[in-house]
Amino acid sequence: VVGKVRASIIGASGYTGGELLRLLLQHPAVEVLSASSERCAGRPVTERLPNLRGLTHLRYVPAAEIAADVDCIFLCTPHGVSAELAARYSAGPARLIDLSADFRLRDPATYALWYGRTHPAPELLEHFVYGLPELQRGAIAQAHRIAAPGCIATAATLALAPLLAAGLIDPQRIVVDAKIGSSGSGALPTQATHHPQRSGTVRAYKPAGHRHTAEIEQALAPLSATAPTVALTAHAVEMVRGILCTAHCFLLDSANVTAAQLEATYRDYYSAAPFVRYVHEAHGVHRLPEPGPVRGTNYCDIGCILDPHAGRVVVVSALDNLVKGAAGQAVQCLNLMCGLPETTGLTAAALHPA
Ligand SMILES: NC(=O)c1ccc[n+]([C@@H]2O[C@H](COP(=O)([O-])OP(=O)(O)OC[C@H]3O[C@@H](n4cnc5c(N)ncnc54)[C@H](OP(=O)(O)O)[C@@H]3O)[C@@H](O)[C@H]2O)c1
């Protein structure tokens, strides 16, 4: 279709790639040319993605058949694989948007520290921009290569940024408790994600050392005079999609901070961010952010509560790990890179009840 952005997805049989296909097939300015899977090559995409029946006749092709001369290639592949693919397409004309962790950390030494191995393609790092539009809309609009943030990193960074930027909290005493649904582990089952092992329980699967800690600290560093230290714990909980982050922050001057000031700080900081909603209601059941009302959408809901007793601010954020935490954020970045309104193709409301 003349004038449309011609896009291909590598890794479209997985959860983020499938979600990207769902979003792009409904995007008015994008045409999806091809979708890859090694294991499903030759099969209709609707065999893996029955929700897309009637919307597409695409069949999976192997990644090797994804042409370089399209407008944008999305890499929805495991880390390591993305680096190989980025090298393959690096000389080509296509914009690249990588959903893996390969190009999120600027410093290869930080990557080695958190990922326990040498960076697979350090020479490509300088071309990638961290794709968190709420913090760097301008850089994304100029970029040709995007490293889409991690899902927990997105929820935590958006929750913390306004408080750090306002200089209200101790940057070295930040505790983030994240709960995530099973789709966060991808479509390939493992023993830990197998239904009988995962259902009916809550598991602190990464009490310390979660890799997203590094990108949260990296993204927040420019907002704070002192480099922030984030203590992150991640829990696997009983849901398929969604993240709920509870951040505990300690005020530098608790006597002089009011709840109204906190709310104004958030509303102000995100006044031009169409996908961040401030949520702190006085009535009803859904008073604070929770995964249900954002499921399937690109919203990140954020609310904060003042706890004068402990000199603490509790910030609660919720998003869908496959949308604002992955595919939706990638589309938001594509919109910015192409000069389209940021919300194009991303305006559908969530189901309720979800
Ligand atoms: N799940 C989330 O919530 C989430 C959120 C943010 C970011 N991410 C990141 O996004 C990436 C994809 O995650 P996911 O959850 O969608 O994973 P997934 O469900 O396991 O899907 C992985 C995809 O990559 C393809 N693939 C695997 N090895 C390949 C290779 N050597 N060459 C070409 N294609 C290959 C698979 O295709 P086959 O059919 O051939 O196996 C599949 O389509 C990961 O880097 C992940 O860390 C995930």
Side-chain angles (χ1 to χ4, degrees), residues 10-17 36-40 48 63 75-79 81-82 84-85 98-101 104 148-151 180 183-188 212 321-322 325-326:
I10 301 188
S13 61
Y15 285 155
T16 62
S36 94
S37 163
E38 310 310 296
R39 286 177 306 140
C40 309
R48 289 300 293 253
L75 306 178
C76 300
T77 37
H79 64 89
V81 175
S82 278
E84 281 171 31
L85 291 165
D98 177 29
L99 276 72
S100 86
R104 292 176 192 157
C151 47
I180 184 164
S183 63
S185 313
L188 273 189
H212 288 189
N321 54 296
L322 296 180

Side-chain angles (χ1 to χ4, degrees), residues 54-128:
L55 297 179
T56 179
H57 296 294
L58 278 174
R59 284 176 179 269
Y60 287 114
V61 296
E65 290 180 22
I66 299 286
D69 60 347
V70 296
D71 298 316
C72 185
I73 299 173
F74 292 91
L75 306 178
C76 300
T77 37
H79 64 89
V81 175
S82 278
E84 281 171 31
L85 291 165
R88 184 196 299 172
Y89 292 105
S90 68
R95 296 176 181 88
L96 286 184
I97 301 183
D98 177 29
L99 276 72
S100 86
D102 282 345
F103 299 103
R104 292 176 192 157
L105 300 175
R106 311 297 332 136
D107 181 357
T110 311
Y111 178 93
L113 190 68
W114 289 88
Y115 286 82
R117 60 185 198 139
T118 309
H119 194 282
E123 70 285 359
L124 298 181
L125 274 174
E126 61 174 319
H127 303 299
F128 280 81

Side-chain angles (χ1 to χ4, degrees), residues 178-182 198 201-203 205 235-240 242:
K179 296 115 192 147
I180 184 164
S182 55
R198 168 120 193 189
T201 188
V202 181
R203 185 175 303 133
Y205 73 92
H235 296 86
V237 299
E238 176 81 65
M239 64 185 166
V240 173

